Amino acid sequence: MPGQADTPAAKAGAGDKISRVGVIGAGQMGAGIAEVCARAHVDVLVFEQTRELAAAGRARILRSLDRGVSSGKITEREREQAAWRLRFTSDLGDFADRQLVVEAVLEDEKVKTAIFAELDRIVTDPRAVLASNTSSIPIMKLGMATKHSERVVGMHFFNPVPVLPLVELVTTLMTSTEVSERAESFARDILGKQVVRSADRSGFVVNALLVPYLLSAIRMVESGFATVEDIDKAIVLGLAHPMGPLALSDLVGLDTIKAIADSMYEEFKEPLSSPPPLLLRMVEAGRVGKKTGHGFYQYPASGRPSAK
Ligand SMILES: C[C@H](O)CC(=O)SCCNC(=O)CCNC(=O)[C@H](O)C(C)(C)COP(=O)(O)OP(=O)(O)OC[C@H]1O[C@@H](n2cnc3c(N)ncnc32)[C@H](O)[C@@H]1OP(=O)(O)O
């Protein structure tokens, strides 16, 4: 590969450090994770169930790379090289040579535990790291689905992944120090992210604080306390957040917020973590936010969001 000797992966010592990554799922988080890995000169293999989903995932990543070019974050050449490093498969067996796998499928504990059990059989290198980008499911539950729970960690990225610099690293009572250090070094030294460590508690640090706040904003709308637009305006102008809680809920996805709330409520039984009926109805209606074009706001295929 041209110029590879200068790449961050090569500088870090590709023999020992992670240079072959697998990402499971090319939805908004999986695509973002695959993109930042490819931009960091890492060889990336992405699993999607069908050719159609793989094509949609690739298109999502290419759009984001285009945005990186148009906003001056990366050059045309870097865009091309990153796209070239991304391969897709619908056979998890192809992950046998991966040194790190990041699972980023929907927030469903059964689906995730089945994936971890299968990955454990496929990826036999004892030094390989098996990571989940789960937003809230305790990592121990995923580790215990494997025979090698010492290899399992949480690596929780934030949306949009190419823009937000944080990774929460979650280790369990079973995770080995070597595995947690490899995962941390990959996120920090190869991807250039900043890492905070969190105990293995549902929601970890960020969502444990964020989700009760988002649910409170949804309850405000539900009770007629204030409008969607005024709540968001108040937070943007009054607290200097980049976006208000309802726009942010749309960005994260209301289905994801419900799944996180369910998981946190199951763990802590805090009323503030219980999903309000308006959230449940919107999820049932398929109005889950930006990814479906309709949530608290409407998102035309192109252009700015508008009120519901
Ligand atoms: C639920 C999960 O478990 C956890 C989560 O993910 S919680 C959600 C966390 N996310 C947030 O809180 C998002 C908060 N919102 C934001 O940060 C901002 O509103 C936003 C980044 C989404 C959009 O910001 P906005 O200013 O409207 O857009 P835009 O100007 O196009 O982009 C902002 C910056 O990102 C850069 N950028 C955007 N897309 C990019 C891409 N694909 N690649 C590289 N850079 C990109 C832009 O160049 C710009 O950089 P600059 O400030 O240096 O010029």
Side-chain angles (χ1 to χ4, degrees), residues 112-167:
K112 286 184 190 274
T113 48
I115 288 174
F116 272 80
E118 206 177 338
L119 269 183
D120 192 37
R121 285 190 292 273
I122 292 166
V123 185
T124 51
D125 174 0
R127 298 194 64 225
V129 179
L130 305 185
S132 175
N133 179 59
T134 177
S135 303
S136 62
I137 296 170
I139 304 301
M140 182 68 90
K141 295 189 181 186
L142 307 178
M144 295 317 283
T146 72
K147 291 195 172 69
H148 305 93
S149 53
E150 70 282 358
R151 298 196 295 176
V152 178
V153 287
M155 286 180 80
H156 185 215
F157 293 78
F158 291 83
N159 182 18
V161 181
V163 179
L164 296 191
L166 182 64
V167 172

Side-chain angles (χ1 to χ4, degrees), residues 21-73:
V21 170
V23 178
I24 304 184
Q28 61 185 3
M29 295 305 290
I33 295 164
E35 179 188 340
V36 294
C37 290
R39 278 167 62 167
H41 302 256
V42 171
D43 171 70
V44 192
L45 184 59
V46 184
F47 171 88
E48 257 304 354
Q49 282 173 322
T50 63
R51 279 173 179 234
E52 291 71 28
L53 288 171
R58 182 180 280 282
R60 192 190 292 267
I61 296 171
L62 294 180
R63 275 197 306 276
S64 178
L65 287 170
D66 284 346
R67 203 161 163 211
V69 173
S70 61
S71 61
K73 302 288 174 202

Side-chain angles (χ1 to χ4, degrees), residues 212-230:
Y213 154 70
L214 299 181
L215 298 176
S216 299
I218 296 170
R219 284 192 192 91
M220 270 192 164
V221 176
E222 187 165 46
S223 68
F225 193 120
T227 63
V228 168
E229 294 73 19
D230 279 355

